[in-house]
Amino acid sequence: MGEPAGGLGTLVDEETRVVPTDEGDHERFAHYVRKEKIVESAVTGIPVIALCGKVWVPNRDPQRFPVCPECKEIYDSLKPGGDGGGSGS
């Protein structure tokens, strides 16, 4: 899994709340988060917010998990020159 461009990285969501979804267990996805927020969270313990809205304090290796489909869809819609044009689809 490569690192997305635009200052984003991936982190794992460790919340234990139940989220109804057709995509499976969102608690076992790696999520897209701004790189500076990842560093800030590592230093301060302040939770991060993923593109999909998940909030948590990361502490696992994101490469062990598949990318959150909701984060990926949002990220893809933000790419310059994409069909989403940054306004969503």
Side-chain angles (χ1 to χ4, degrees):
M1 166 170 51
E3 187 175 294
L8 292 176
T10 54
L11 292 175
V12 177
D13 177 3
E14 294 189 42
E15 289 181 336
T16 57
R17 65 187 168 105
V18 177
V19 179
T21 178
D22 293 334
E23 298 295 331
D25 184 3
H26 278 277
E27 310 313 316
R28 290 297 183 190
F29 286 129
H31 295 273
Y32 287 170
V33 176
R34 291 196 169 277
K35 282 184 182 181
E36 63 269 12
K37 295 298 182 182
I38 297 168
V39 173
E40 179 181 339
S41 180
V43 172
T44 65
I46 294 173
V48 295
I49 303 173
L51 288 179
C52 68
K54 298 290 182 186
V55 179
W56 81 108
V57 177
N59 67 0
R60 293 192 180 181
D61 179 5
Q63 296 199 5
R64 295 179 49 209
F65 301 92
V67 173
C68 168
E70 196 174 340
C71 280
K72 179 148 178 48
E73 182 179 331
I74 293 167
Y75 175 76
D76 288 344
S77 73
L78 298 174
K79 287 183 180 177
D83 59 332
S87 62
S89 39

